[in-house]
Amino acid sequence: MPVLNERAYLEHAIRSVLTQELTVPAELVLALGPSTDGTTELAQRLAADDDRIRLVDNPAAHIPVGLNAAIRASRYDTIVRVDAHSELSPGYAARALDTLERTGAANVGGVMHADGRTPFQKAVARLYNSPVGLGGGAYHGGTQEGEAESAYLGVMRRTVIEEVGLFDESIRRGEDWELNLRIRQAGHLVWFDPSLSVTYWPRESWLRLARQFRATGAWRGELVRRYGRRNGIRFFAPPALVVLVATALIVGALQLTGAISGLISAILSAVVYLPLLAYALLVIAVASLPGGGRLRQRIWTLAVLPTMHLSWGLGFLGGVLRGAGDTVDASRLGTRNTPLP
């Protein structure tokens, strides 16, 4: 479990891991980044009370670096990746081990079930669980068990991930997708089991959500630079929306200044504004549909859905055009979006 500034969530996440009922020995290795909110001190107290918890340092604060440090420090043949912002459902680990054995897969993952505590977080969670929000990946609500492109978190055979070289530490986001690509290229199976469920708690504020999605989009753009068509077509929808919005602004400015008019103006209006109108109606429909929650949650949905798409799309275009560089997820790092010292 990589950990950074998760004081509000860490104890619940750890409890969900340590209460898993298993017939084999288990441990929890925390890779501690340089938290500033008391997370490290909390982790140290919890480790002092339970010898199943082990601590390793992750001064770089990057997720794949922390994951690799924890894997190298671990002692058992199966690696269960867990997240400090998530909670495992009861029986998760035992079912995952059974699925590994039954399928012969190298990596097994399940459903990421997002949940929220506030109207904003509930709006984000609902969109995480919707194909309109995050593009319909299997682990965002799939129900059909079978071979998968990637796995959320993942329960992995140690021999296989050591064979392919652990996580790529040069990738700050999307490191799980890239690892699963190498696993599949090596001839191993990645498997989705919808009976496995993990509760995920999204970011708690609009600004933090926008930062998270911009960074995630930038690294997906970097992965497109590296791996091209191996990336699914759904990843190109948000940047297309960004391009459409930018085009609409340019066309609008040209129309206001009289630079274009007549038939050309009408044609451009139809080509540019009608798709944006359709998107706006889609956002309104998603906020209005049953299950959208109370009024405040529905209002937040009107802001959250475009924020997710546009932030991700802007990051993606930057990542494709110039690479992700040192972009990190700054949603837990105050106002910074630079690597930690």
Side-chain angles (χ1 to χ4, degrees):
M1 179 189 292
V3 180
L4 178 67
N5 289 334
E6 291 287 8
R7 182 177 176 82
Y9 295 90
L10 181 63
E11 194 163 1
H12 294 283
I14 288 177
R15 185 182 302 118
S16 79
V17 172
L18 298 182
T19 55
Q20 297 289 310
E21 295 183 359
L22 293 167
T23 59
V24 294
E27 64 187 354
L28 174 59
V29 186
L30 306 182
L32 299 178
S35 296
T36 58
D37 67 345
T39 293
T40 298
E41 293 76 13
L42 174 60
Q44 291 168 342
R45 290 198 300 273
L46 295 172
D49 292 337
D50 194 318
D51 59 11
R52 292 174 295 174
I53 302 175
R54 302 172 60 211
L55 308 177
V56 297
D57 289 329
N58 178 22
H62 297 311
I63 290 174
V65 176
L67 287 169
N68 286 346
I71 290 169
R72 293 187 182 104
S74 65
R75 296 173 287 189
Y76 299 119
D77 293 334
T78 304
I79 304 298
V80 182
R81 177 179 173 177
V82 290
D83 189 272
H85 227 60
S86 301
E87 296 175 25
L88 304 183
S89 60
Y92 174 92
R95 282 197 298 270
L97 292 175
D98 288 344
T99 302
L100 273 179
E101 181 66 24
R102 172 171 57 85
T103 63
N107 189 10
V108 169
V111 175
M112 181 181 80
H113 176 72
D115 203 352
R117 296 168 176 167
T118 66
F120 174 84
Q121 201 176 40
K122 288 178 181 178
V124 177
R126 179 169 174 260
L127 295 172
Y128 262 83
N129 297 329
S130 165
V132 177
L134 288 184
Y139 58 82
H140 291 300
T143 58
Q144 185 67 41
E145 182 176 12
E147 187 173 352
E149 175 186 5
S150 188
Y152 175 57
L153 298 181
V155 179
M156 300 167 274
R157 298 182 189 272
R158 185 189 197 97
T159 53
V160 173
I161 59 175
E162 288 181 341
E163 172 194 333
V164 301
L166 302 185
F167 288 92
D168 186 337
E169 295 185 2
S170 72
I171 297 174
R172 305 304 182 218
R173 303 286 295 179
E175 73 287 338
D176 48 353
W177 179 89
E178 192 275 338
L179 175 64
N180 282 293
L181 175 63
R182 282 186 282 126
I183 288 173
R184 291 186 289 109
Q185 287 177 332
H188 301 289
L189 183 65
V190 177
W191 194 261
F192 171 71
D193 183 351
S195 70
L196 303 174
S197 178
V198 180
T199 298
Y200 171 79
W201 301 98
R203 297 299 186 268
E204 306 90 342
S205 74
W206 179 84
L207 184 59
R208 290 180 182 276
L209 180 75
R211 289 176 183 157
Q212 178 194 21
F213 271 71
R214 194 198 71 80
T216 303
W219 279 102
R220 177 54 59 179
E222 174 69 31
L223 292 174
V224 167
R225 285 170 65 95
R226 298 189 189 191
Y227 300 106
R229 291 188 177 181
R230 295 185 181 93
N231 293 266
I233 190 66
R234 69 181 184 276
F235 296 123
F236 296 87
L241 176 63
V242 172
V243 171
L244 187 62
V245 170
T247 303
L249 292 174
I250 294 171
V251 170
L254 292 175
Q255 290 172 330
L256 287 173
T257 59
I260 57 173
S261 60
L263 181 60
I264 293 178
S265 178
I267 293 173
L268 288 175
S269 294
V271 170
V272 174
Y273 299 144
L274 287 180
L276 284 179
L277 176 60
Y279 177 78
L281 293 174
L282 174 65
V283 173
I284 294 170
V286 170
S288 304
L289 287 173
R294 296 183 177 181
L295 180 60
R296 286 183 64 194
Q297 182 180 331
R298 292 177 184 275
I299 292 172
W300 271 122
T301 299
L302 296 174
V304 165
L305 187 55
T307 295
M308 292 168 64
H309 291 159
L310 293 173
S311 296
W312 200 97
L314 281 169
F316 179 93
L317 290 173
V320 166
L321 294 174
R322 61 177 183 272
D326 290 326
T327 300
V328 297
D329 176 7
S331 60
R332 298 193 187 108
L333 306 179
T335 59
R336 293 168 43 174
N337 193 29
T338 56
L340 292 175

